[in-house]
Amino acid sequence: MTRQLGPEAPRTLRPALLAVLTLLALLALLPALFVLSAPDARAADPDPTVSLSKKEAGKGGDITVKGSGWRPEALLMLLICGQSSPERGVIGGTNSCANAEGRAVTTDKKGAFSKKLPVTEPPKPCPCVVHVATVTGEQALADAVFTVAGHPTAELPRQTGDGKLAVLATTRLDGDSSLLTWFGAPPARRLVFTVGNLGSAPVKDPVFEIGTAHGVYAPQWEERQWRGTVAPGGKARIELPVELSAGAHGDYQVSLRYGDKVLAEQPWGVGRPWGVTLFWILLCLVVPAAVFRIGMAIVDKVRPRPAGAHRLRRPTAPPAATATSTDLANTNATTAVLPWFTPDSAPSENRPRPTTKGQA
């Protein structure tokens, strides 16, 4: 009795096929295994850096500012600021910077940028820096030492201690909307709050930041400086202006920040500018009506006239002539008689017969 080897061949190939499939699966998972086995799967993001093409330049020139390590596709603001240093930052906020000559730049997908910046004198004396900070989103900043040739130089204000401000009372928004706001003007209020100095040093001319957020978006921060001094253990009532963009409406959140600490948050419900809606409704009604009237006038002007219409027209007589013809027609109507009778020959039953002489 002979054995058939044909059907047994596939069974002998199955272990080899399974081994090949297992090897391919291991090769596909090998990169993932290396990533998971690494001690640091993802390196920490580097801090943003700024470099300058020149460390010193005079007014009227320009420098090239380069940066790396920033958030991809982030909007940045470039400023030359006085009374500043990379260690202490910009003392006095952007009031120490040449804001009119600032430049904006957007980083690329790798978080790098390169932008030319005109050299101008800041309002405060040097030491100066080129200040780069994000405009929207998560805040990030970096400073690079720079010298404006010919600009005055002075020492930085001394740090006499730590001044700490805290909000002592509930914040509120004062002010009312005007008629222009109903037609889309920017809504404006005053943020009123009371702060106290909990530190051991006075706080002079503090610079606050006002942030406005709408919905799920991050707040947009703007600097507001208050003129005055808060002594240690003292308190002060502060009012800062808050303004939204034109046509803003809905629920907003106003935040107050001093340094890196958010001191207070205040909700703000802004009504819809119904005057703008009414204007568009009227515009949608008036413009089509005006276009329709103009179109009908044009159609009436250019439409063809029927043949012989000029023959049916009769010349109109002057008013005086018309009046005379009417009077004549009325006079003739009173004396008109039938054409085949005359007043003398018209028969009449009641007419007296003529008498002859000698007859009764």
Side-chain angles (χ1 to χ4, degrees), residues 48-172:
T49 59
V50 176
S51 60
L52 308 178
S53 60
K54 300 177 183 178
K55 296 294 183 181
E56 181 177 354
K59 180 181 178 181
D62 57 64
I63 58 175
T64 302
V65 184
K66 295 182 180 180
S68 61
W70 297 85
R71 191 172 65 251
E73 299 181 351
L75 180 62
L76 307 179
M77 178 61 69
L78 284 63
L79 299 171
I80 296 179
C81 304
Q83 193 176 279
S84 309
S85 67
E87 295 77 17
R88 297 184 57 181
V90 180
I91 301 175
T94 54
N95 292 329
S96 303
C97 305
N99 299 311
E101 300 297 331
R103 293 293 183 268
V105 64
T106 303
T107 59
D108 57 18
K109 295 183 179 180
K110 296 182 180 180
F113 71 90
S114 178
K115 184 72 173 181
K116 282 190 175 182
L117 179 67
V119 179
T120 185
E121 295 183 350
K124 298 292 183 179
C126 285
C128 302
V129 299
V130 173
H131 180 69
V132 182
T134 55
V135 178
T136 59
E138 184 180 356
Q139 187 179 21
L141 54 89
D143 298 326
V145 178
F146 181 71
T147 302
V148 181
H151 191 61
T153 303
E155 295 183 358
L156 296 177
R158 295 181 180 179
Q159 293 180 339
T160 57
D162 295 332
K164 298 180 181 179
L165 296 181
V167 175
L168 303 180
T170 305
T171 60
R172 69 176 187 274

Side-chain angles (χ1 to χ4, degrees), residues 14 76 102 152 206 222 234 236 238 241 247 251 258 277 336 353-354:
R14 288 179 183 177
L76 307 179
E222 295 183 3
I238 300 177
D251 295 329
Y258 179 70
T277 306
R353 298 178 179 179

Side-chain angles (χ1 to χ4, degrees), residues 7-291:
E8 296 295 334
R11 294 183 181 179
T12 58
L13 294 177
R14 288 179 183 177
L17 182 61
L18 292 176
V20 171
L21 293 178
T22 304
L23 181 61
L24 293 177
L26 291 176
L27 291 176
L29 294 176
L30 189 61
L33 293 176
F34 276 113
V35 172
L36 293 177
S37 61
D40 295 328
R42 181 180 179 182
D45 294 336
D47 295 333
T49 59
V50 176
S51 60
L52 308 178
S53 60
K54 300 177 183 178
K55 296 294 183 181
E56 181 177 354
K59 180 181 178 181
D62 57 64
I63 58 175
T64 302
V65 184
K66 295 182 180 180
S68 61
W70 297 85
R71 191 172 65 251
E73 299 181 351
L75 180 62
L76 307 179
M77 178 61 69
L78 284 63
L79 299 171
I80 296 179
C81 304
Q83 193 176 279
S84 309
S85 67
E87 295 77 17
R88 297 184 57 181
V90 180
I91 301 175
T94 54
N95 292 329
S96 303
C97 305
N99 299 311
E101 300 297 331
R103 293 293 183 268
V105 64
T106 303
T107 59
D108 57 18
K109 295 183 179 180
K110 296 182 180 180
F113 71 90
S114 178
K115 184 72 173 181
K116 282 190 175 182
L117 179 67
V119 179
T120 185
E121 295 183 350
K124 298 292 183 179
C126 285
C128 302
V129 299
V130 173
H131 180 69
V132 182
T134 55
V135 178
T136 59
E138 184 180 356
Q139 187 179 21
L141 54 89
D143 298 326
V145 178
F146 181 71
T147 302
V148 181
H151 191 61
T153 303
E155 295 183 358
L156 296 177
R158 295 181 180 179
Q159 293 180 339
T160 57
D162 295 332
K164 298 180 181 179
L165 296 181
V167 175
L168 303 180
T170 305
T171 60
R172 69 176 187 274
L173 291 171
D174 286 352
D176 296 324
S177 300
S178 61
L179 182 61
L180 295 178
T181 306
W182 200 66
F183 284 95
R189 294 289 189 273
R190 296 187 310 275
L191 183 64
V192 182
F193 56 96
T194 302
V195 297
N197 188 359
L198 306 180
S200 59
V203 178
K204 182 180 180 180
D205 299 338
V207 178
F208 298 93
E209 289 182 292
I210 300 295
T212 54
H214 181 55
V216 297
Y217 295 99
Q220 305 292 326
W221 297 99
E222 295 183 3
E223 293 183 349
R224 297 285 188 270
Q225 185 173 21
W226 180 74
R227 299 291 182 177
T229 302
V230 184
K235 62 181 180 179
R237 183 176 181 270
I238 300 177
E239 296 184 7
L240 299 176
V242 183
E243 188 178 44
L244 302 178
S245 59
H249 62 276
D251 295 329
Y252 283 80
Q253 186 81 11
V254 180
S255 303
L256 174 67
R257 185 169 66 181
Y258 179 70
D260 296 333
K261 182 179 179 182
V262 178
L263 301 180
E265 293 181 347
Q266 180 69 28
W268 183 9
V270 184
R272 182 180 293 274
W274 292 109
V276 179
T277 306
L278 179 61
F279 170 78
W280 285 110
I281 292 175
L282 294 178
L283 188 65
C284 293
L285 294 177
V286 172
V287 171
V291 172

